[in-house]
Amino acid sequence: MKIVVLVKQVPDTETNIKVGDKSINEAGVKWIISPYDEFAIEEGIRIREKSGGEVIAVSLGPDRVVEALRTAYAMGVDRAVHVKVDDYVTFDSTYTSELLANFIKAENADVIIGGRQSIDTDSSQVVVQIAERLNVPHVAMALKLEFDGKKVTATREIEGGTEVVETSAPLAVTAQKGLNEPRYPSLKGIMSAKKKPVDVKKPEELGATGSKLEVVSLEPPPPRIAGRKLEAADAQGFASQLVKALREEAKVI
Amino acid sequence: MADVLVVGELKNGELKKISKELTSAARKIADAIGGKVHTLLITDNVDSFAGDLKAVGADAVIGANLGEFSPEGYANGIFAVIQEKKPAVVLMPHSAQGKEYSARVAIKANAGIVADAVGLSVDGGKVVAKKPIYSGKAYANFKVSSDIQMFTVRANSQEVTPKEGAGAVEKSGASAGEVRTKSLSKDLSGGNKVQLADASIIVSGGRGIKGPENWPIIQDLADTLGAALGASRATVDAGWISHSHQVGQTGKTVSPNCYIACGISGAIQHLAGMGSSKYIVAINKDGDAPIFKVATYGVVADLFEVVPALTSEFKKVLG
């Protein structure tokens, strides 16, 4: 089985974000693998452990994403590929999916796995777009995956519950929390990951047609409605004040 | 023509509010760029909903019978309608289903797409979409440069404004085509009575509720308000409630009009999932909890006393 896992590097949630004109100021930003992509890497490795084959981690972005690929190596992937582009085009899911799909096409992968969304843009687009570009089925929000040759049975999260679906490889999967528990890289893994090769691909080699989005501007979040702490003598006092505030002031209930 | 196509959604045979929100937003865009609003519903019973959509600006209400939901089937059907109507702008819900079919539709139509938009405006004949990025720590404005501009839009982010459209009813012959993923079974037993993703009110419980036996206190308030029940990561990780209730970075992103956080301290990952709620009420014993930094109304008190009092007070005024 040939498995491609998609790894996106994102700012750590706790990191401070300073907004520039069309991009953020990267100074002092701590970068991590987007948490859902960790489930994808783990699942890729588990499929290989069961069915044999090869796991290729691919990350798109500037030079710093190589760090994320080293972590993927340390977790146990077999190969790492860096699609080297300026990072802010990664806002554009169609461009990202075109570059990645063109790479994956050449690899003839059986399974493509990424997180259900990346925590920087929360778009939930790239993996399913890749499925469409490769003309393969997909399973989104996977909680469980079972392979029986080409046949795939999956449990996935849907609105209000879960669904069991059946499809076949080649396919694309998005990983939801609950699919597995990602392993920690071992010290040995981390040491040997430093020496492993990272293959670099440039957009021109992958023949993408270019970005379809224009970043007009970035701005800080809108100011919140000013908050206040309510004062009351007892629970009843808080309750009547809150009901009044929500019904007469905010008019939301 | 610079028409706008809206993909609406139904739930249990009823029109979801997002369908009106998107039609209303489409009306404003169509008026600015000079075109018509088409709202597509995936149903064989389009006539029942035409009036509601006409009242918020739909010039045409299109019904397509694509059978049971499948992302591939919906994408095939929606793309067929796009080929027929040739809209300049397509608005789709950023719902669980919308996230899936929109990705396929964008590729089929060779269109750029901005997902999870919360603001839509028009500049120089092009739509400018605003969306939160980096867990709401920044907002980005995008234009789409392809011929068709596509957007998925967050529920509760658009105002519903009455404005009469022509309201013609059409039945589309679009079909689901080839679908390669087959649904074997569904289990909806662990779910919410009201869906988190499009709820306009959410009542959430955190570690402060102390144990799973106390959910009824929170659920009573939610039921009284017709709200969805949310939960913090701590309560899900402790096994007190299923993950489908989790709000936050590894749960659901929500934007209700009103979010009532009971016994939730407000870790940054939780704020990332609910920080764009319009009004936030925080009820927590610890006055230094970070949730109070974003709360519109803060109540520093014991939730076990305040929440039941609040429920009975609401029962009185809501009848």
Side-chain angles (χ1 to χ4, degrees), chain A:
Chain A
M1 221 94 67
K2 194 182 256 189
I3 304 138
V4 172
V5 294
L6 307 172
V7 180
K8 189 174 186 186
Q9 194 187 42
V10 299
D12 186 358
T13 314
E14 318 234 351
T15 246
N16 244 329
I17 296 288
K18 289 195 202 83
V19 175
D21 182 25
K22 293 194 178 183
S23 61
I24 58 163
N25 179 352
E26 291 198 3
V29 171
K30 186 186 167 210
W31 297 91
I32 57 166
I33 291 177
S34 186
Y36 296 105
D37 293 351
E38 292 188 357
F39 300 118
I41 298 171
E42 177 65 33
E43 198 64 17
I45 295 165
R46 288 189 190 194
I47 296 168
R48 181 201 60 203
E49 284 170 349
K50 232 173 165 178
S51 313
E54 183 188 27
V55 184
I56 307 163
V58 53
S59 189
L60 183 144
D63 287 331
R64 58 172 160 70
V65 307
V66 171
E67 258 176 70
L69 290 169
R70 298 263 174 235
T71 307
Y73 260 140
M75 285 174 77
V77 304
D78 303 289
R79 252 202 298 150
V81 176
H82 173 200
V83 178
K84 194 170 148 74
V85 293
D86 162 58
D87 53 350
Y88 294 101
V89 300
T90 64
F91 281 144
D92 185 350
S93 57
T94 50
Y95 184 55
T96 303
S97 72
E98 188 174 15
L99 288 169
L100 294 173
N102 287 356
F103 163 72
I104 295 164
K105 213 178 279 172
E107 290 288 342
N108 247 331
D110 299 290
V111 190
I112 302 123
I113 317 182
R116 76 157 215 229
Q117 67 193 71
S118 61
I119 62 158
D120 54 350
T121 60
D122 296 312
S123 292
S124 307
Q125 288 280 321
V126 167
V127 181
V128 181
Q129 286 190 4
I130 289 172
E132 179 65 29
R133 289 185 185 280
L134 299 177
N135 191 24
V136 300
H138 77 266
V139 174
M141 307 281 278
L143 297 166
K144 197 174 168 193
L145 273 180
E146 279 170 49
F147 288 83
D148 177 8
K150 290 276 176 199
K151 199 179 101 182
V152 181
T153 311
T155 305
R156 67 185 214 101
E157 187 177 308
I158 57 169
E159 229 172 85
T162 57
E163 180 183 28
V164 180
V165 296
E166 188 182 274
T167 187
S168 61
L171 86 163
V173 178
T174 81
Q176 166 65 321
K177 183 185 179 186
L179 180 62
N180 53 47
E181 257 329 304
R183 69 194 67 190
Y184 288 107
S186 65
L187 188 60
K188 189 170 153 249
I190 293 169
M191 295 315 287
S192 68
K194 287 182 181 166
K195 293 181 220 111
K196 292 197 169 151
V198 173
D199 192 8
V200 180
K201 299 272 182 201
K202 293 190 180 141
E204 46 278 23
E205 292 170 62
L206 295 170
T209 47
S211 180
K212 290 188 167 68
L213 288 196
E214 181 199 336
V215 181
V216 178
S217 58
L218 294 194
E219 56 191 63
R224 286 212 62 84
I225 301 164
R228 65 169 201 266
K229 281 187 182 158
L230 304 181
E231 298 289 341
D234 55 15
Q236 190 50 49
F238 279 122
S240 50
Q241 270 198 60
L242 259 182
V243 170
K244 198 162 178 245
L246 291 172
R247 283 174 61 80
E248 289 165 25
E249 202 174 86
K251 298 191 172 73
V252 286
I253 293 175

Side-chain angles (χ1 to χ4, degrees), chain B residues 33 81 83 107-108 116 130 139 142 154 157 160 168 195 197 203 228 230 257 259 266-267 275-276 279:
Chain B
I33 62 177
V81 174
Q83 282 177 306
I107 298 308
K108 286 179 194 290
D116 198 20
K130 186 190 292 288
Y139 277 61
F142 295 105
R154 194 182 283 192
S157 71
V160 176
Q195 292 307 321
V203 182
N257 288 325
Y259 188 90
S276 64
Y279 287 87

